Amino acid sequence: MTGKLEYGEDLVRPNMLHAKALYAKYPHATIKRIDAGGAWEVPGVEGIITHKDVPVNRFGLSHKDQPVLADDKVRSWGDAIAVVAATTPEAASAALEKIKVEYEPLPVTCDPLTAMQDDSTLVHEGTNIAAHLKIRHGDVEQGFAQADVVVEEVFTTQRVEHCHLEPHVALAEVEKDGRIVIWTSTGRPFQYVTQLARILNLSMNQVAVKVPAVGGGFGGKNEVTIEPWVALLAKQTGKPVRMVWSRQEEFFVSTVRHPYRMRYKSGLTKDGRIVAREIEIISDSGAYVGLGKATLTKAAIHAAGPYRIDHVKIDAYLVYTNNIAAGAMRGFGVPQVCFAHECHTDTLAQKVGLDPVDFRKRNLFDERGIMPTGQEINAHALRTTFARALELSGW
């Protein structure tokens, strides 16, 4: 510990303004009116933005479904309505209390299973199923017909907040040539430039993203959040604008690990061979997709586990709800399915009366393995690691 690293909150500029955001009062509601007039009367306030100030008010990677600032409706507690820039954080917070928003509350959908039903309240237009991914390998019905034992189980995992030590922080400043420089705590600056240039309706060479020392991320700083707000306020005021999220905002606004509901059905022979596996994954995306489709794709690819199974069928659903939007986190969807397929493997061993280690030895990939997607992998490291784990654990 030398104290020499410069993190985002250490960045200070002359005449810098401080930004604070007003968030939704309801998890799902139509916005009838936004009146920010009173906020301008608070001493120290120099800038206020709403959706009317955003050049392109929808962003996202696979789905352009997320507003920079809520316009027609709010879809979760984490939706921001307006952002204020003031000479002090206290003045910005005081101004937020002067902004009047008229809502018409709507029914709320928090359970992804309910959200998938035809008569469920829609979070977006059309359907709550944002994506349906399919993987087919062999003929799963034929596999179950060959089985002596069929076992079906359901597993669930919870949402998880990243809790990185440093919260989200960003500072924007406009250079003399009009280029916007955004300092932000992220690990993906190039991906950010693409999205920010589109939101700000600027060419990519008019936007620069710079990264100070990052105080943890674990996937929680992979998606655009506060950067468009400080950039727009810097343009509006002509002054540098910095925003630092509180710990409360980290829990109620930032993305979380996707909660999964996973149904595993496997067919076994009497001698302990897995001959068929059917998997259904339902991922709670929250109000927006973000990296949800990419995360679910990786989960589906790894869902069957490192086992030789001739017949596999996987269906994975990404479902909108009015919960806080989920996103990337360590393992990118794989820890959830690993938990499920290994718990399921223990159950299968018990059903055929085998030691769980012996059962795994019968079904693990050999030196080379074929994934349900057809990808061939070198599995030597898998068996080596398995053997070493047994040795170290004294099994």
Side-chain angles (χ1 to χ4, degrees):
M1 298 289 287
T2 64
K4 293 181 179 179
L5 285 178
E6 190 174 53
Y7 293 92
E9 199 167 354
D10 297 324
L11 300 174
V12 177
R13 299 289 186 271
N15 301 315
M16 184 180 78
L17 301 175
H18 303 266
K20 295 284 184 180
L22 176 68
Y23 298 101
K25 185 179 180 180
Y26 300 94
H28 197 200
T30 300
I31 297 175
K32 308 297 287 186
R33 188 173 67 93
I34 302 172
D35 180 3
W40 284 105
E41 299 174 3
V42 175
V45 170
E46 298 199 17
I48 301 174
I49 55 170
T50 67
H51 67 91
K52 294 180 180 178
D53 301 293
V54 185
V56 178
N57 197 31
R58 286 292 184 280
F59 71 101
L61 295 166
S62 61
H63 294 57
K64 300 288 186 292
D65 58 357
Q66 186 165 359
V68 176
L69 291 169
D71 40 33
D72 58 336
K73 64 190 289 191
V74 292
R75 297 176 176 84
S76 83
W77 297 110
D79 282 355
I81 312 294
V83 187
V84 173
T87 51
T88 65
E90 293 76 14
S93 296
L96 296 180
E97 297 181 6
K98 302 293 183 181
I99 299 174
K100 298 177 181 177
V101 183
E102 185 179 337
Y103 298 95
E104 184 175 305
L106 297 169
V108 176
T109 301
C110 291
D111 175 30
L113 281 177
T114 304
M116 293 175 73
Q117 297 174 6
D118 291 338
D119 60 349
S120 178
T121 299
L122 292 176
V123 179
H124 295 267
E125 296 296 323
T127 174
N128 284 332
I129 299 176
H132 177 194
L133 310 176
K134 301 178 182 179
I135 296 176
R136 303 289 186 263
H137 176 67
D139 183 339
V140 76
E141 295 304 325
Q142 178 186 333
F144 282 122
Q146 297 169 354
D148 299 308
V149 180
V150 175
V151 180
E152 184 170 348
E153 294 180 292
V154 174
F155 304 92
T156 59
T157 58
Q158 75 281 29
R159 59 179 52 80
V160 181
E161 165 59 33
H162 305 79
C163 287
H164 29 73
L165 191 61
E166 178 202 39
H168 283 74
V169 53
L171 182 152
E173 47 196 342
V174 182
E175 296 191 334
K176 291 181 180 178
D177 62 0
R179 190 175 70 142
I180 297 178
V181 178
I182 304 169
W183 293 82
T184 185
S185 180
T186 179
R188 308 184 73 187
F190 297 105
Q191 186 266 325
Y192 273 37
V193 170
T194 305
Q195 295 214 64
L196 290 170
R198 181 179 179 275
I199 291 169
L200 301 172
N201 198 24
L202 296 172
S203 60
M204 288 182 66
N205 63 1
Q206 292 177 292
V207 180
V209 174
K210 297 186 178 182
V211 181
V214 177
F218 320 123
K221 295 177 178 175
N222 283 2
E223 294 166 75
V224 167
T225 52
I226 59 180
E227 295 80 11
W229 303 343
V230 292
L232 290 165
L233 285 166
K235 284 191 67 177
Q236 186 184 83
T237 62
K239 294 183 177 180
V241 177
R242 191 186 71 182
M243 186 172 198
V244 184
W245 264 354
S246 65
R247 188 57 61 185
Q248 185 178 30
E249 286 173 306
E250 290 293 340
F251 274 90
F252 288 97
V253 184
S254 73
T255 58
V256 295
R257 170 173 276 163
H258 293 86
Y260 281 2
R261 180 187 186 278
M262 298 160 284
R263 182 179 61 80
Y264 274 70
K265 178 181 176 183
S266 295
L268 307 167
T269 58
K270 291 178 181 177
D271 62 350
R273 297 284 183 184
I274 308 173
V275 293
R277 176 161 287 176
E278 183 178 274
I279 303 165
E280 179 187 74
I281 307 170
I282 297 174
S283 171
D284 182 351
S285 189
Y288 306 105
V289 168
L291 284 165
K293 185 177 180 183
T295 305
L296 187 60
T297 299
K298 189 169 182 180
I301 289 170
H302 292 270
Y307 302 109
R308 285 178 280 108
I309 309 174
D310 290 337
H311 307 286
V312 177
K313 177 184 178 184
I314 302 170
D315 287 277
Y317 299 90
L318 186 66
V319 183
Y320 286 124
T321 66
N322 293 117
N323 296 320
I324 294 296
M329 193 173 185
R330 281 283 179 263
F332 215 64
V334 177
Q336 294 97 313
V337 296
C338 280
F339 162 73
H341 67 60
E342 288 312 297
C343 289
H344 189 55
T345 299
D346 284 342
T347 302
L348 300 182
Q350 186 179 36
K351 290 289 183 183
V352 292
L354 285 175
D355 176 274
V357 169
D358 292 337
F359 182 84
R360 283 175 171 82
K361 287 179 177 177
R362 294 185 188 201
N363 289 283
L364 281 173
F365 287 144
D366 297 318
E367 287 294 310
R368 305 195 72 79
I370 303 295
M371 303 284 283
T373 55
Q375 179 186 4
E376 183 175 339
I377 62 171
N378 183 337
H380 175 74
L382 166 68
R383 286 196 168 266
T384 302
T385 303
F386 186 66
R388 180 64 173 153
L390 293 178
E391 178 185 336
L392 292 174
S393 67
W395 186 270

